[in-house]
Amino acid sequence: MSAVIATAAACAAVVMAVFALGFALYASTEPVVGAAGAAAIVALAAALALALFALIATMRARKRERETAIAQAELLDELPIGLGDIARDRPLMTLGITAAAGLLAARHPTLVRDLIHIVARFGTRR
């Protein structure tokens, strides 16, 4: 609960700082360009700040997606090739195993990751 209160207080402080910066920008430019011009400058500054934030967030998301894709590719490279033959020969058994593995992965993701690494090690030693 204290973390929620601390986060709310930090958000309130940020809102106050942004409002104060906007008002300071407005007050400093209003004598030069007038009320409408100062309001437009404040709106432009807010739009630029928002665009910069969106750009940074997008770049971070793309970086996480690339890292996830690399990790999935490495995991697929470690899996034994013989699993495709089992899936082709016995599709219903494969469906059941996939459903059970999905339930297991939902409950214990670290256990499943460790099991995949163990299977991959035995598959590469042949």
Side-chain angles (χ1 to χ4, degrees), residues 45-124:
L48 289 175
L50 182 63
L52 181 65
F53 177 76
L55 178 66
I56 291 170
T58 302
M59 290 173 62
R60 286 184 180 176
R62 286 183 182 167
K63 180 181 177 186
R64 281 193 300 267
E65 288 174 1
R66 281 193 305 270
E67 290 172 353
T68 302
I70 290 170
Q72 287 177 347
E74 289 174 355
L75 183 63
L76 289 176
D77 288 341
E78 292 176 359
L79 287 176
I81 295 174
L83 291 177
D85 297 333
I86 295 172
R88 193 175 332 113
D89 294 341
R90 297 188 175 103
L92 292 178
M93 185 176 79
T94 304
L95 179 66
I97 291 172
T98 303
L103 290 173
L104 183 67
R107 298 250 178 183
H108 308 287
T110 56
L111 175 66
V112 173
R113 183 193 67 212
D114 294 340
L115 287 175
I116 288 174
H117 285 298
I118 291 171
V119 169
R121 284 186 194 142
F122 285 122
T124 57

